């Protein structure tokens, strides 16, 4: 039956008062080219999924009816496509947030299908007290040419205070252009190619800032291209019990001989979740990540700098990074002026970490919520380049137990941790208790 010949007589589209017909036609090109019943059914299902993925329709219905046969007697079908479009103002929201003694207010809106080409315009403003403040505007276009590819452009103006951990504030003005092809859960994964031009300033240093941070003060321009490859088969985005995930990022700064940032930066992350008992009653997870920030030309001195820019370095420590340590509490540190035990977190150029855990669902209502209990152990290190000694000599380690709960923002975890190995200058969570959002156990 699937091999029975069948041609498409005509395609009738209804309900696209806002969306340009060319956007819909490009998703129906395989429907028009169908020559058998099986191919027609398959292409209609694929077209329905593609139209829904444009995120401009609330409903997509495709119906095939018998049509008069062709002149040579070949059966034909009429295809009727009925659409129900979304409103152009997709979302709008405002909010007030507090964290400790700091408060912030933000506003966001998204305008979908503004010009009828399935494009999306987004804007977000956040103003904070002792917090990051940002202004972001973005334009994106999904399924360019009817293919699984999206283009986007983004402008961002941001101020990020790092005074508590590193004695500086970072101001940033960024233009970002990107092309995303595929999906992480697709057969070939997702590839994203990004160009970024960013003017960064390290400023507002207090008088107690360490000498290493004082040397970073000033303006830096980065012109960089970045490729990101991601692949995932996880059964749950926040609390997986089966599958694997992989992410590889390669970045080259100094493109077009613009700016003073000249480096190549690489990072890789991998995770494996293996059920040991049926129905996810016991799951073993193994996770690892590594990264390197290296100068072009063999040394930073070639670009007039003695070290990498603190804005580009890796930082480690805290929930979602490395449990048992405070935020940015692990790695190279600089002694602040004025004495005392306070030190600035300087970040590092070479890092590696690995973790293993066992998890099981909590009983009763907690199981319905997806809550799980876990035991974990982590080890890793973060150092500056060039390495004064092997990274293994800078190894830190931590073990702990806790519970996790999936949320819309990620995995919420409450852990009791015990630091097994540290350096005297590291900042650890002395009480052992930590709570935070994360997607991995580091």
């Amino acid at each position: 039956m699937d091999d029975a010949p069948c041609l498409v007589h005509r395609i009738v589209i209804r309900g696209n008062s806002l969306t340009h017909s060319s956007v819909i036609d490009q998703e129906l090109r395989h429907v028009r080219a169908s020559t058998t019943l099986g191919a027609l059914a398959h292409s209609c299902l694929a077209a329905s999924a593609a139209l829904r993925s444009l995120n401009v329709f609330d409903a997509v219905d495709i119906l095939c009816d018998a049509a008069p046969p062709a002149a040579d007697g070949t059966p034909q079908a009429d295809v009727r496509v009925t659409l129900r479009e979304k409103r152009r103002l997709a979302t709008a929201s405002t909010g007030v947030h507090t964290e400790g003694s700091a408060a912030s207010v933000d506003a966001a809106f998204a305008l979908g299908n503004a010009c009828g080409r399935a494009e999306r315009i987004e804007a977000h403003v956040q103003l904070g007290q002792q917090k990051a403040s940002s202004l972001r505007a973005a334009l994106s276009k999904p399924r360019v040419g009817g293919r699984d590819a999206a283009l986007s452009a983004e402008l961002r103006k941001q101020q990020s205070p790092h005074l508590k951990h590193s004695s500086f504030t970072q101001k940033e003005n960024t233009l970002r252009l990107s092309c995303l092809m595929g999906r992480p859960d697709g057969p070939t994964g997702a590839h994203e190619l990004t160009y970024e031009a960013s003017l960064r300033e390290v400023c507002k240093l207090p008088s107690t800032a360490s000498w290493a941070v004082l040397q970073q003060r000033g303006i830096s321009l980065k012109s960089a291209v970045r490729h990101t490859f991601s692949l995932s088969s996880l059964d749950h985005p926040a609390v997986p019990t089966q599958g694997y995930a992989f992410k590889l990022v390669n970045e080259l700064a100094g493109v077009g001989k613009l700016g003073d940032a000249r480096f190549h930066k690489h990072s890789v992350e991998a995770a494996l979740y293996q059920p040991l008992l049926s129905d996810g009653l016991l799951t073993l997870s193994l996770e690892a990540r590594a990264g390197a920030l290296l100068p072009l030309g063999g040394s930073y001195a070639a670009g007039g700098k003695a070290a990498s820019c603190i804005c580009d370095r890796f930082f480690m420590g805290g929930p979602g990074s490395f449990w048992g340590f405070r935020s940015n509490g692990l790695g190279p540190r600089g002694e602040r002026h004025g004495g005392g035990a306070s030190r600035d977190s300087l970040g590092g150029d070479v890092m590696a970490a690995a973790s293993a855990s066992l998890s099981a669902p909590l009983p009763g209502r907690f199981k319905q919520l997806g809550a799980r209990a876990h035991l974990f152990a982590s080890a890793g290190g973060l150092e500056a380049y060039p390495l004064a000694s092997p990274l293994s000599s800078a190894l830190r380690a931590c073990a702990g137990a806790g519970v996790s709960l999936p949320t819309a923002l990620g995995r919420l975890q409450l852990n009791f941790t015990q630091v097994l190995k540290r350096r005297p200058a590291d900042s650890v969570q002395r009480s052992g208790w930590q709570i935070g959002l994360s997607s991995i156990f580091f």
Side-chain angles (χ1 to χ4, degrees), residues 182-308:
R183 305 183 313 276
D185 57 351
T188 59
H191 294 265
E192 183 174 21
L193 185 63
T194 302
Y195 170 77
E196 182 177 291
S198 182
L199 184 66
R200 297 92 55 84
E201 182 181 5
V202 175
C203 59
K204 298 185 178 181
L205 279 64
S207 59
T208 56
S210 64
W211 176 244
V213 173
L214 287 171
Q215 289 179 306
Q216 294 282 334
R217 180 170 47 190
I219 295 175
S220 171
L221 175 62
K222 181 177 78 168
S223 174
V225 291
R226 180 170 58 252
H227 174 260
T228 303
F229 170 69
S230 54
L231 184 66
S232 174
S233 68
L234 300 180
D235 59 348
H236 194 285
V239 187
T241 60
Q242 186 173 355
Y244 60 85
F246 179 82
K247 185 177 181 180
L248 175 65
V249 182
N250 295 299
E251 182 179 7
L252 176 65
V255 175
K257 297 183 179 180
L258 296 176
D260 57 345
R262 304 189 184 280
F263 62 82
H264 53 109
K265 185 178 182 180
H266 315 275
S267 65
V268 60
E269 298 178 62
L272 174 65
Y273 293 83
Q274 179 63 45
L276 302 181
L277 297 176
S278 60
D279 299 327
L281 295 179
L282 185 64
T283 297
L284 170 67
S285 70
L286 303 173
E287 301 168 352
R289 62 172 173 162
L293 171 64
L294 305 174
L296 288 178
S299 69
Y300 292 109
K305 291 187 174 184
S308 59

Side-chain angles (χ1 to χ4, degrees), residues 43-65:
S43 59
C44 284
L45 289 173
S48 177
L51 288 170
R52 292 175 189 274
S53 70
L54 293 173
N55 201 29
V56 296
F57 302 114
D58 281 325
V60 177
D61 294 314
I62 300 180
L63 179 66
C64 297
D65 285 335

Side-chain angles (χ1 to χ4, degrees), residues 23-245:
V23 176
I24 303 168
D25 288 338
Q26 69 184 10
E27 305 297 350
L28 298 174
R29 66 187 186 279
H30 295 301
V31 175
R32 296 182 188 276
S34 300
T35 58
T36 66
L37 278 176
L40 179 59
H42 182 270
S43 59
C44 284
L45 289 173
S48 177
L51 288 170
R52 292 175 189 274
S53 70
L54 293 173
N55 201 29
V56 296
F57 302 114
D58 281 325
V60 177
D61 294 314
I62 300 180
L63 179 66
C64 297
D65 285 335
D72 60 358
T74 303
Q76 295 190 118
D78 288 335
V79 179
R80 292 180 172 83
V81 181
T82 304
L83 307 168
R84 187 169 76 247
E85 293 175 314
K86 293 182 177 181
R87 295 183 304 170
R88 277 183 168 160
L89 184 59
T91 59
S93 63
T94 59
V96 177
H97 309 280
T98 60
E99 183 176 345
S101 59
S104 67
V105 58
D106 65 356
F109 83 94
L111 187 65
N113 211 14
C115 301
R117 306 284 179 172
E119 61 281 294
R120 184 178 179 88
I121 300 173
E122 297 177 85
H124 179 265
V125 179
Q126 178 178 317
L127 300 174
Q129 192 176 38
Q130 302 176 6
K131 288 187 64 175
S133 300
S134 67
L135 173 63
R136 173 182 174 269
L139 171 66
S140 60
K141 174 69 171 73
R143 295 195 59 79
V144 178
R147 292 171 173 80
D148 198 6
L151 298 177
S152 65
E154 178 181 329
L155 287 171
R156 181 189 294 267
K157 181 181 178 67
Q158 184 169 343
Q159 179 173 292
S160 304
H162 302 287
L163 298 171
K164 181 178 180 181
H165 306 296
S166 302
S167 295
F168 76 93
T169 294
Q170 180 179 332
K171 291 183 178 180
E172 188 173 356
N173 296 285
T174 302
L175 166 66
R176 183 178 293 115
L177 306 172
S178 65
C179 176
L180 174 63
M181 296 164 285
R183 305 183 313 276
D185 57 351
T188 59
H191 294 265
E192 183 174 21
L193 185 63
T194 302
Y195 170 77
E196 182 177 291
S198 182
L199 184 66
R200 297 92 55 84
E201 182 181 5
V202 175
C203 59
K204 298 185 178 181
L205 279 64
S207 59
T208 56
S210 64
W211 176 244
V213 173
L214 287 171
Q215 289 179 306
Q216 294 282 334
R217 180 170 47 190
I219 295 175
S220 171
L221 175 62
K222 181 177 78 168
S223 174
V225 291
R226 180 170 58 252
H227 174 260
T228 303
F229 170 69
S230 54
L231 184 66
S232 174
S233 68
L234 300 180
D235 59 348
H236 194 285
V239 187
T241 60
Q242 186 173 355
Y244 60 85

